[in-house]
Amino acid sequence: MSSLLLIINIVGLLLLVGLLYIMQRKHVSFSKRVFTGLGLGIAYGLILHFAYGTDSAVLQESMPWFNIIGVGYVKLLQMIVMPLVFISILAAFTKVTIGKDFGKMAGRILGMLIGTTAIAAIIGISATLIFGLDASEIVQGEAELSRGVSIEERAGEVADRALPDQILDLLPANPFLDFTGARPTSTIGVVIFAAFLGFAYLAVSRREPENAATVKKGIDAIYSLIMGIVRIVLRLTPYGILAIIARTVATSDFGAIYSLGKFVMASYVALGVMFGIHLIIIMLSGLNPITYVKKAGDALLFAFTSRSSAGTLPLNINTQTNRLGVPDGVANFAGAFGLSIGQNGCAGIYPAMLAVMIAPSVGQPIDAQFLITLVIIVAISSFGVAGVGGGATFAAILVLSALNLPVALAGLLISVEPLIDMGRTAVNVSGSMTAGVTTARMSGELDTDIYNGNVEGQTVEA
C-alpha cells in the first residue's frame, strides 16, 4: 500500500510539472509561471501534509523524489555560481565598465551592505522589545536541547574569530580551491581573484594591445558560453519552486509554528520593515520602488522558497542586469559580496533578536550601552557569513559569544527555523540587489531605460 501511495505522490508532482511545461510551450510569461509554480506547490504541499502528517513514512519516502527536482535545481544554480561570478567580473574589465573607479564602487557596495545590516539590527531589537519576546518563555524539547549542544560545539570552533581573521578569510590563498566552493567565503575569494586578473588585463592592454585583444576575444567567448548555461538553468525556475515549496509545506510542523507564533510574527514584522527600508533607499535614489518590487519579484520569490542566497545568485545577477539596468561588474560585486558580508536578515535581524531575547534570562539588563554594543558587534560580525544554510546560526554564534551570552539558547527556535529562514533569505538577496542598484545610480551607470522598461519584455531567461 505504501508503495502505491508513494507512486501516487510522485505522479501528482509530475502532473504539476507537466502543467508548467505546457504553460512554457504556450509562451506564458516567466513571472506568471513562477507564481503558478509557487501556488501549485503550496496547494499540493497542503494536500500531502493533511493527508499523511509530517511523521508519515510515505511522506518521508516521497520527499527524496521531490528533491530530485527541487534540490537538483538548486545544485544546478550552485554549479554556475563560481563560473558566472568569475567571468562576469573579468568581462566587466574587458568592456571597461570597471577601472579607476573600482575602489569607489566596491566601497559604496560594502558601505551599503554593512550600513543596512546595522539598521537591520536596530529593527530586530525594536521588534523584540515591542513584542516582548523572552527566551525563558520557550519550552525546550529534545530537539531544542540537541540543537543547543550542537551549537555550543560549533561555538568552540568560531568563538576566537577576531575581525582581522574574518577579513583575512576573504582573501584567496588558493583561488582554484575557492572555485570548488570549499570555504564559506569562496565566492568573495573568486571575486578578488577575478579583479586582480582584470587589473592585469588593463595593464596588458596599455603595453601589449595585440595580446590584450586576443585575451578579450577569449574572455568574451567564454562569457557568451557561460551566459548560455545560465539561461538554460533559469528556465527551470518554476519547476524548482514548485518542488521546493511543496516539500516545505508538506513537512512543516504547524503545531510548533503555532506555539512559537509570536516569535514568527515578530520576525516577519522586522523583515517586512527592513524590506521597506530597502524601498525607501531605492526611492531616495530617485527611482520608483514599485518598479523595483515588480522586477525583483522573481528573484526574491526564489530566495524565499529555496532558503539559499548562494543558489539565488545567478537569478540575482541576471535580474539586476536584465531588468534593473545595473552594469555587469556592479551587479556581480553586489551579488557576490552580499553572500558573505552584510546579510540583512541572517546577520542583522536574527542575531539581534536572539541577543535581546536571551539577555534577560542571564541577568543582562537591556540598557543603552548593551544595545549600542550589540548593533556594533552585529555590523562587524556580518563579515564572512556564508550564503547557504546555517549562515544565520553562524552569525548568532559570533554575536552571542562576543556578548558573553549562552549560545546554546540559539537552538530554541529549531522548529520554526525553516519558516523564518525563508523570509531572512529574501531580505538578504534584496539587500544585495539594493546595494547594486543604488551604487550604479550614484555612479551614473544605471540604465534607467531598462529600469523603467516593461517587465514583460525583460525576462530573466532571455
Side-chain angles (χ1 to χ4, degrees):
M1 182 66 179
S2 61
S3 297
L4 176 61
L5 293 174
L6 173 63
I7 292 172
I8 291 174
N9 295 342
I10 296 171
V11 170
L13 178 65
L14 293 178
L15 289 174
L16 297 179
V17 168
L19 177 60
L20 290 175
Y21 180 72
I22 292 173
M23 294 176 67
Q24 180 176 335
R25 296 289 294 178
K26 291 187 175 181
H27 305 291
V28 176
S29 72
F30 181 77
S31 296
K32 290 179 181 177
R33 283 186 282 123
V34 166
F35 280 95
T36 300
L38 175 67
L40 292 175
I42 292 173
Y44 193 44
L46 288 172
I47 291 172
L48 294 175
H49 178 90
F50 290 112
Y52 300 107
T54 56
D55 296 327
S56 166
V58 174
L59 189 61
Q60 297 304 320
E61 292 174 3
S62 301
M63 291 306 101
W65 293 96
F66 282 49
N67 288 344
I68 292 177
I69 298 176
V71 176
Y73 173 66
V74 174
K75 285 183 176 292
L76 290 177
L77 284 170
Q78 292 171 338
M79 172 189 74
I80 59 177
V81 165
M82 296 304 184
L84 174 62
V85 170
F86 175 75
I87 198 63
S88 295
I89 290 176
L90 191 52
F93 280 90
T94 65
K95 296 172 184 176
V96 201
T97 57
I98 292 179
K100 62 181 181 180
D101 293 330
F102 169 79
K104 184 183 297 184
M105 179 268 291
R108 284 172 175 167
I109 291 174
L110 289 174
M112 180 71 66
L113 290 171
I114 297 171
T116 52
T117 300
I119 294 173
I122 295 172
I123 292 172
I125 291 168
S126 302
T128 306
L129 295 175
I130 291 172
F131 279 82
L133 301 179
D134 189 338
S136 62
E137 298 176 355
I138 301 176
V139 178
Q140 296 191 51
E142 184 178 339
E144 286 77 13
L145 292 172
S146 176
R147 177 65 181 276
V149 172
S150 174
I151 290 175
E152 280 190 319
E153 292 175 352
R154 188 175 179 187
E157 300 173 2
V158 301
D160 296 330
R161 284 170 50 86
L163 178 60
D165 295 325
Q166 295 179 50
I167 294 175
L168 285 175
D169 283 345
L170 302 179
L171 301 178
N174 183 347
F176 300 102
L177 178 67
D178 284 332
F179 272 106
T180 68
R183 304 185 302 135
T185 56
S186 283
T187 307
I188 303 300
V190 171
V191 169
I192 294 172
F193 179 58
F196 270 94
L197 287 179
F199 282 115
Y201 166 80
L202 294 178
V204 170
S205 65
R206 289 191 295 269
R207 296 195 303 264
E208 306 171 48
E210 292 184 1
N211 287 337
T214 303
V215 171
K216 182 181 186 305
K217 187 175 181 180
I219 292 173
D220 290 346
I222 296 174
Y223 178 80
S224 298
L225 183 63
I226 296 298
M227 291 308 298
I229 299 175
V230 170
R231 286 191 289 270
I232 293 172
V233 174
L234 291 185
R235 289 192 183 102
L236 303 176
T237 301
Y239 310 105
I241 286 179
L242 164 66
I244 291 170
I245 198 65
R247 178 198 65 192
T248 301
V249 173
T251 58
S252 293
D253 186 346
F254 292 161
I257 293 172
Y258 177 78
S259 64
L260 291 172
K262 189 162 72 167
F263 180 81
V264 174
M265 185 181 300
S267 296
Y268 271 91
V269 167
L271 292 168
V273 172
M274 191 62 224
F275 183 65
I277 295 294
H278 294 164
L279 299 184
I280 291 173
I281 293 172
I282 295 288
M283 184 175 64
L284 292 177
S285 300
L287 301 170
N288 188 333
I290 305 302
T291 300
Y292 169 81
V293 173
K294 291 179 180 178
K295 297 195 171 187
D298 292 340
L300 298 181
L301 178 59
F302 179 73
F304 183 83
T305 54
S306 69
R307 297 168 50 205
S308 172
S309 298
T312 310
L313 183 60
L315 198 58
N316 177 343
I317 293 172
N318 211 293
T319 298
Q320 287 192 59
T321 54
N322 283 359
R323 288 185 168 182
L324 299 173
V326 180
D328 286 340
V330 176
N332 276 275
F333 270 93
F337 276 128
L339 290 185
S340 297
I341 297 173
Q343 292 193 348
N344 293 176
C346 289
I349 290 174
Y350 183 66
M353 291 184 71
L354 279 181
V356 176
M357 284 176 60
I358 293 172
S361 67
V362 295
Q364 169 63 53
I366 307 298
D367 53 21
Q369 181 179 350
F370 173 80
L371 295 178
I372 293 172
T373 302
L374 173 58
V375 172
I376 294 173
I377 289 176
V378 165
I380 294 175
S381 298
S382 68
F383 280 84
V385 175
V388 294
T393 301
F394 182 76
I397 290 173
L398 290 174
V399 172
L400 296 178
S401 298
L403 293 169
N404 294 317
L405 297 176
V407 296
L409 293 181
L412 293 174
L413 306 169
I414 182 175
S415 55
V416 294
E417 185 78 11
L419 177 62
I420 298 171
D421 199 36
M422 296 168 79
R424 290 193 311 232
T425 306
V427 170
N428 291 344
V429 172
S430 178
S432 69
M433 296 176 76
T434 300
V437 171
T438 53
T439 297
R441 179 68 167 176
M442 290 168 65
S443 61
E445 297 181 85
L446 187 74
D447 190 328
T448 53
D449 290 336
I450 293 178
Y451 186 92
N452 295 316
N454 187 351
V455 68
E456 293 299 332
Q458 299 172 330
T459 172
V460 293
E461 304 178 272

